[in-house]
Amino acid sequence: MTHDSGNAPAQRPARKSAVRRRALAAAAVLAGGGIALTACGGHGGSAKAAATVSSSPSASSAASSSPSASPSGSASANTQLREDANAAKNVSAAKITITPKSGSTGNKLNSAKVTVAGGTLTHVTMTVKATGAVVPGSISSDGKTWTPKASLSRATQYHISAQATDPQGRAAAADTTFATTTATSTFVGYFTPEDGSTVGVGMPVSINFDKAVDSTYRAAVQKGITVTSSSGQTVVGHWFNSKRLDLRPQNYWQAGSHVSLTLNLAGVKAEPGVYGVQHKTVSFDVGRSQVSTVDTKTHMMTVVRDGQVINTLPISAGADGHTTYDGQMVISEKDQTTRMNGATVGFTDSDGKGEYDIPDVPHAMRLSNSGTFIHGNYWGDKSIFGTVNTSHGCIGLSDTKGGKDPNTPAAWFYNNSLVGDVVIVKNSPDKTIQPSNGLNGWNMSWAQWVAGSALH
């Protein structure tokens, strides 16, 4: 059975050398949405800093403060190091592994599996992403493995959520979104945003194909994809690589507009012997306009909605050596809680473990594929916010453990943000984020964007 609908797979998850960190960054860019790192970081682009990719919890791996930090700010950064270590002490020994990897496509129909080391699986749920239908499966008698009871369907996206506990009763969790293979003679495009969703003004339409589209046939494939808006804005597609096509207007979407995406790819050739099977239309709404600007020198974020400042929040951005990317970034996912492990982006101690491993980072919103987040920080000294940059590249906001207090800056920003809202970072010594690293094509000029179209 072939399903022709798809939303883009979710993007998830002694210090390494600059070469290692640059390699991770390159992988994130080339993947075009297929790689997702859950750890905090920017690039580390200051004159003295090595390149970094992580978006880690707002925590400094060095005691240095930003150039504008006062001596008390430096002391706060030292406190942050201690707080990071304390926050990581209660990490569960249970390590869950889910295959296939999050964001992957073209997976075999019998490839789904969940395993755990150092603990026991307590609950696993697998669903079809488009419909929410539950896929039956079972946990083995020893609690170490879960598998579905039957083969999966072709060209279908699935989501797996798994929980486990270690011998001390400490909980662990993991989740994955992936897509199965199409027939060898067909291809499909997985799209975001989701049908019927309401998004921010910066949200592009992003399509990831499960098979490469040869340059000879990209014009035909692009002709089969149309995006129209009630605002009347002209929308142009840009190929980041052979599997990724993003479409957007010259400027942000107009607030309140209604956008439709039509995929008319049935019979369209992607490469010799490979043809499309999709013929469908989906739509989404653009909500109010919200653009937030983070100033890494003043350590403040200004939130502007429909042209009016509605809040100014103290933040802590990337420290020296781990500076936050500059540029326009789009919130691509929101998680009430997520785990951030430095090992996923190359920040490890001499024992090979992550420099930080925070199991319950609250109010996390992804800004890049390579791991940049804006998130709550409950473990750091409150004095760092608005005062000093202490993170591995993420943007931190003051929060409480568990994120239950709605009055914290992090909770307020999370509750007042949509996927697709824009976060602009300025005055960082880092480079501007690559347009393909996340949904961040706004960092291209319109001329550069149009130049990447197969139709212009």
Side-chain angles (χ1 to χ4, degrees), residues 65-74 295-299 320 386-389 427:
S65 62
S66 67
S68 61
S70 63
S72 62
S74 181
D295 189 326
T296 66
K297 284 189 176 180
T298 64
H299 317 292
D320 280 357
T387 305
V388 60
N389 293 325
N427 291 327

Side-chain angles (χ1 to χ4, degrees), residues 238-301:
H238 180 96
W239 291 87
F240 282 113
N241 55 51
S242 63
K243 288 188 172 183
R244 180 179 173 187
L245 173 68
D246 282 17
L247 302 101
R248 69 167 178 89
Q250 181 171 0
N251 301 307
Y252 300 148
W253 299 107
Q254 290 184 18
S257 54
H258 182 77
V259 183
S260 294
L261 161 67
T262 297
L263 298 170
N264 190 10
L265 297 176
V268 178
K269 185 184 291 187
E271 57 184 49
V274 178
Y275 296 86
V277 295
Q278 290 167 298
H279 183 75
K280 66 178 299 159
T281 297
V282 298
S283 62
F284 60 92
D285 292 305
V286 180
R288 75 291 177 275
S289 170
Q290 183 165 300
V291 178
S292 303
T293 300
V294 172
D295 189 326
T296 66
K297 284 189 176 180
T298 64
H299 317 292
M300 300 297 291
M301 177 172 68

Side-chain angles (χ1 to χ4, degrees), residues 151-280:
S151 294
L152 307 181
S153 299
R154 287 187 180 274
T156 302
Q157 279 188 297
Y158 293 95
H159 179 79
I160 297 177
S161 177
Q163 293 84 44
T165 57
D166 67 7
Q168 285 71 48
R170 294 175 297 189
D175 64 271
T176 293
T177 299
F178 65 93
T180 52
T181 184
T182 54
T184 56
S185 61
T186 63
F187 78 98
V188 296
Y190 296 101
F191 56 85
T192 191
E194 295 183 3
D195 186 24
S197 60
T198 298
V199 300
V201 295
M203 188 71 185
V205 172
S206 185
I207 301 173
N208 285 271
F209 301 101
D210 71 321
K211 292 185 176 69
V213 179
D214 188 275
S215 58
T216 304
Y217 307 109
R218 287 181 197 171
V221 170
Q222 190 172 334
K223 283 181 181 178
I225 299 170
T226 57
V227 178
T228 58
S229 173
S230 62
S231 64
Q233 292 171 276
T234 299
V235 179
V236 174
H238 180 96
W239 291 87
F240 282 113
N241 55 51
S242 63
K243 288 188 172 183
R244 180 179 173 187
L245 173 68
D246 282 17
L247 302 101
R248 69 167 178 89
Q250 181 171 0
N251 301 307
Y252 300 148
W253 299 107
Q254 290 184 18
S257 54
H258 182 77
V259 183
S260 294
L261 161 67
T262 297
L263 298 170
N264 190 10
L265 297 176
V268 178
K269 185 184 291 187
E271 57 184 49
V274 178
Y275 296 86
V277 295
Q278 290 167 298
H279 183 75
K280 66 178 299 159

